[in-house]
Amino acid sequence: MPQKSTSTKSTTSQANDLQSDRDKLVADLKLLVADAKSLTESASDESKEFLSDKAEDLRQQLAETMEKLKAEGEKVKEVAVEKTDEVESCIRKNPWKSIGIAVVAGIVIDRLTSRHK
């Protein structure tokens, strides 16, 4: 009979050890899940901040580009007004020459478009 009690004690001891190991494993898994959740939340916050920073950079670049385009548009407008004034001045100085050039240009355009019909 002494063997039975030793065997029972050994089985009980093994069961206790197994239960203890199981409890440790469960505790470790809970800790791991908590760490993973914390890491996910941290990464999510960092991603949001990163994307927010990139979006702000893009907005700033777009605003700068729009300002450059407006400035260039103003320059083009000024040049167009100057050239229009020059053409009008030239027409006023040489009205008959301008009419002749317009007639010749009309004839050339008519000939070019009538060939393609």
Side-chain angles (χ1 to χ4, degrees):
M1 286 236 203
Q3 289 180 346
K4 253 187 176 180
S5 72
T6 310
S7 176
T8 306
K9 287 181 183 178
S10 175
T11 304
T12 305
S13 175
Q14 287 176 350
N16 287 338
D17 288 346
L18 188 59
Q19 181 65 31
S20 175
D21 288 345
R22 180 188 168 281
D23 291 343
K24 286 179 185 177
L25 182 60
V26 168
D28 288 344
L29 285 174
K30 286 180 181 179
L31 183 62
L32 182 63
V33 168
D35 286 347
K37 184 178 179 181
S38 174
L39 181 62
T40 302
E41 289 171 356
S42 174
S44 176
D45 291 343
E46 289 174 10
S47 295
K48 287 177 186 175
E49 186 177 324
F50 175 77
L51 291 175
S52 178
D53 289 345
K54 288 300 176 186
E56 185 59 34
D57 290 345
L58 287 174
R59 280 188 211 102
Q60 186 177 1
Q61 288 177 356
L62 181 59
E64 290 172 2
T65 302
M66 290 299 293
E67 288 299 318
K68 288 178 184 177
L69 285 173
K70 286 179 184 177
E72 290 299 319
E74 289 297 320
K75 288 178 185 177
V76 168
K77 183 179 176 182
E78 289 173 9
V79 169
V81 168
E82 287 176 15
K83 296 301 178 186
T84 301
D85 291 344
E86 288 177 18
V87 169
E88 287 177 356
S89 175
C90 184
I91 290 172
R92 284 190 186 106
K93 289 179 185 176
N94 304 303
W96 292 107
K97 189 176 186 181
S98 301
I99 291 172
I101 291 172
V103 168
V104 170
I107 293 171
V108 169
I109 291 172
D110 179 58
R111 298 289 178 171
L112 290 174
T113 56
S114 65
R115 286 184 185 174
H116 294 283
K117 289 182 181 179

